[in-house]
Amino acid sequence: MSVIYDRVALIGLGLIAGSMAHAIREGGLARETVGFARSAQTREIAREIGLCDQITDSVAEAVAGADLVVLAVPVGAMGDLAAEIAPHLKPGATVTDVGSVKQSVIDAVAPHIPEGVHFIPGHPLAGTEHSGPRAGFASLFRNRWWLLTPLPDSDPQAVERLSDLVRAMGAKTDRMEPAHHDLVLAVTSHAPHLIAYTMVGVADHLRQVTDEQVIQYSAAGFRDFTRIAASDPTMWRDVFLHNKEATLDILGRFTEELFVLQRAIRMGDGQQLFDYFTRTRAIRRGIIEAGQDTDAPDFGRAAKTGG
Ligand code: NAP
């Protein structure tokens, strides 16, 4: 692999930035990676494990001279971070983010980006329920989608260069309108996460079954919900607060469907349930055919989700 950017600054050293650091190093995709995180503790761990070539104690130092700056903090923190780094960005640099919501990040970040710096928002559809500087690994993005939502005036060459990096880290890339991205992700990721949080919360309320049996006999369905519901609380709080409209729209539709199924169960309408489950099964087959999951039993498999 060849060097795509001379100096890459990773701001926020959690799962996503950490995985980028590993993938960039493995592929020799940058001459130098520089990292910064807000807490001294995270910076210390990052130094200890050699996550980047250099960990700085100020964000200004990290972004100074960087050709690519990656904002990898929770969605709600992007705007303040952009304001803080703006005066220190190198002319001609690219700023991207990895936030799970796009329109609100664009609204918060774009006004701070100085003339002559390219802002190209992005979102890797890859993740795990783990977070922090030790959570990253080089293969996280392999065969996963990484959506870019360039602005109407984004420089095509800068977009192509960022796409090259994304592909070199093993991901597949596509471009999307920010609002469309937010609706698609509300269906495929955000609403499912909320449903998982709710289901685990329901089990938690039923104390008489949760204490022992739910944990002991947890079969794949509930167990998978608990994995999703273990995702980072800050990240997911911000996702829902910043993708409010689309998530509420999808949850409204979800509730309607749930009532339809609830009624079918109450009325003993087996045909309706059977037909419904036959349709949903076809969607699962489509996901497997698209290479986004495998057909193998998943006992203990290190499952990956997309935030
Ligand atoms: P993470 O592992 O929890 O790491 C978050 C990083 O952001 C940490 O370095 C943390 O610093 C920093 N941070 C937290 N709050 C901050 C604030 N208010 N101001 C400045 N820095 C702050 O998170 P992650 O999973 O890598 O997620 C990062 C971004 O990627 C989020 O926008 C998320 O939506 C997106 N994303 C996540 C996934 C996923 O599945 N995890 C998938 C795709 C995209 P300290 O450690 O110093 O507190």
Side-chain angles (χ1 to χ4, degrees):
M1 284 290 176
S2 53
V3 169
I4 297 173
Y5 291 98
D6 273 341
R7 181 175 157 112
V8 175
L10 300 165
I11 312 302
L13 296 173
L15 170 72
I16 300 295
S19 297
M20 289 183 73
H22 289 296
I24 289 171
R25 179 171 290 158
E26 192 180 273
L29 308 176
R31 273 187 228 293
E32 189 187 18
T33 56
V34 187
F36 172 81
R38 100 192 133 153
S39 75
Q41 194 194 5
T42 298
R43 297 197 296 269
E44 212 32 65
I45 296 171
R47 279 190 191 108
E48 204 181 291
I49 62 176
L51 194 59
C52 298
D53 298 324
Q54 201 193 133
I55 302 290
T56 62
D57 282 322
S58 85
V59 73
E61 242 183 293
V63 304
D67 307 287
L68 176 68
V69 176
V70 182
L71 311 181
V73 299
V75 166
M78 297 278 185
D80 286 349
L81 178 58
E84 207 182 336
I85 62 170
H88 311 286
L89 294 168
K90 175 172 124 172
T94 290
V95 174
T96 189
D97 75 291
V98 294
S100 306
V101 181
K102 294 281 49 95
Q103 191 60 60
S104 80
V105 169
I106 292 170
D107 294 345
V109 171
H112 299 292
I113 300 295
E115 193 77 26
V117 172
H118 310 290
F119 175 43
I120 306 167
H123 178 203
L125 306 191
T128 72
E129 68 277 25
H130 302 296
S131 50
R134 294 186 199 275
F137 52 99
S139 62
L140 177 67
F141 309 115
R142 217 163 279 161
N143 202 31
R144 300 274 142 184
W145 285 102
W146 194 309
L147 301 175
L148 297 180
T149 61
L151 309 181
D153 58 354
S154 288
D155 174 44
Q157 271 184 329
V159 176
E160 210 32 60
R161 194 171 172 200
L162 181 60
S163 305
D164 284 345
L165 178 75
V166 163
R167 282 190 287 262
M169 290 190 292
K172 302 181 286 184
T173 176
D174 207 353
R175 295 175 198 181
M176 231 182 226
E177 286 292 314
H180 186 64
H181 165 279
D182 291 352
L183 183 63
V184 169
L185 267 290
V187 180
T188 56
S189 170
H190 305 167
H193 268 80
L194 198 74
I195 292 160
Y197 280 122
T198 314
M199 195 56 226
V200 176
V202 167
D204 188 44
H205 286 147
L206 295 172
R207 276 279 168 209
Q208 66 274 28
V209 281
T210 52
D211 280 354
E212 296 261 324
Q213 287 100 331
V214 170
I215 308 258
Q216 190 173 338
Y217 303 124
S218 107
F222 184 73
R223 199 184 51 201
D224 285 350
F225 276 142
T226 60
R227 180 181 59 73
I228 295 172
S231 301
D232 188 69
T234 307
M235 169 188 156
W236 283 97
R237 176 202 63 196
D238 280 13
V239 166
F240 293 119
L241 294 180
H242 290 85
N243 198 16
K244 186 171 163 177
E245 303 301 327
T247 308
L248 290 178
D249 177 16
I250 300 306
L251 286 174
R253 291 163 195 261
F254 174 81
T255 313
E256 288 168 17
E257 294 288 300
L258 194 61
F259 278 134
V260 168
L261 293 183
Q262 198 173 321
R263 186 166 193 280
I265 294 169
R266 191 184 308 285
M267 305 305 279
D269 189 344
Q271 189 62 47
Q272 186 172 7
L273 294 173
F274 184 85
D275 291 347
Y276 200 99
F277 301 156
T278 304
R279 270 189 286 138
T280 54
R281 197 177 215 190
I283 292 175
R284 169 74 188 160
R285 265 201 301 275
I287 290 173
I288 292 165
E289 278 161 22
Q292 290 302 296
D293 205 351
T294 68
D295 217 354
D298 77 342
F299 307 108
R301 171 164 62 99
K304 296 182 182 114
T305 60

